[in-house]
Amino acid sequence: AVVSTQSTGMRLLTTASMDKDCTEIEFSHLVEKLNIAPEDVEPFVIDAIGSGLIKGKINEAEAKISISSTINRTFREPQWLFIKEKLEMWQKKLVLIQDSMRKGQFAMPLGGGKYDCNYYLFLVYILF
């Protein structure tokens, strides 16, 4: 059972990294590349989608998977640069919010009233 579980795990990871630029994978391609029986392809794909390694839909009529996204099996410089850029952007936006709060533009009303809904809309806009 351990060998089977390890094989399944490797097959799942292989599927996630297979054909990165491809939006569809035919069942026959999975049978060939993963060395699984044709009748096991659909349950395997369900496991792959359920595990979150791939996002997609099964097209039974055409015997293929329509893939919308996959996880990265490897995490290299392009992925680190993407995260770095996102974090730097968030940091700049948080500095803007902090500066606005220091200037009193979004200060809590006296008496502990509620923030104006525009305040929350502004925060959402700035952060995302």
Side-chain angles (χ1 to χ4, degrees), residues 105-120 123:
Q105 293 173 342
F106 298 103
M108 177 74 88
L110 292 175
K114 294 184 179 181
Y115 285 105
D116 183 273
C117 69
N118 290 328
Y119 169 76
Y120 294 110
L123 287 179

Side-chain angles (χ1 to χ4, degrees), residues 5 27 32 42 67 104 108:
T5 303
F27 286 2
E32 177 186 328
E42 193 170 333
I67 298 175
M108 177 74 88

Side-chain angles (χ1 to χ4, degrees), residues 70 72 74-91 128:
T70 61
N72 288 315
T74 57
F75 208 80
R76 297 209 168 113
E77 188 173 357
Q79 290 79 29
W80 284 115
L81 288 173
F82 176 79
I83 288 177
K84 179 181 180 267
E85 290 169 5
K86 282 284 191 191
L87 289 173
E88 287 172 347
M89 178 187 67
W90 286 351
Q91 182 182 24
F128 300 101

Side-chain angles (χ1 to χ4, degrees), residues 14-120:
T14 300
T15 303
S17 61
M18 184 184 296
D19 299 324
K20 279 293 201 189
D21 298 326
C22 192
T23 58
E24 295 180 337
I25 298 177
E26 295 182 12
F27 286 2
S28 61
H29 186 71
L30 292 175
V31 168
E32 177 186 328
K33 295 292 181 183
L34 301 176
N35 194 28
I36 58 177
E39 62 272 10
D40 294 333
V41 172
E42 193 170 333
F44 174 79
V45 171
I46 291 169
D47 285 345
I49 292 171
S51 70
L53 292 172
I54 64 172
K55 290 184 182 178
K57 295 181 180 179
I58 297 173
N59 183 335
E60 287 184 80
E62 295 182 26
K64 61 184 173 183
I65 315 165
S66 298
I67 298 175
S68 56
S69 68
T70 61
I71 64 151
N72 288 315
R73 185 173 176 181
T74 57
F75 208 80
R76 297 209 168 113
E77 188 173 357
Q79 290 79 29
W80 284 115
L81 288 173
F82 176 79
I83 288 177
K84 179 181 180 267
E85 290 169 5
K86 282 284 191 191
L87 289 173
E88 287 172 347
M89 178 187 67
W90 286 351
Q91 182 182 24
K92 288 176 185 176
K93 290 180 178 185
L94 286 171
V95 167
L96 286 173
I97 292 170
Q98 189 177 31
D99 288 345
S100 295
M101 292 177 84
R102 278 193 188 124
K103 293 176 185 173
Q105 293 173 342
F106 298 103
M108 177 74 88
L110 292 175
K114 294 184 179 181
Y115 285 105
D116 183 273
C117 69
N118 290 328
Y119 169 76
Y120 294 110

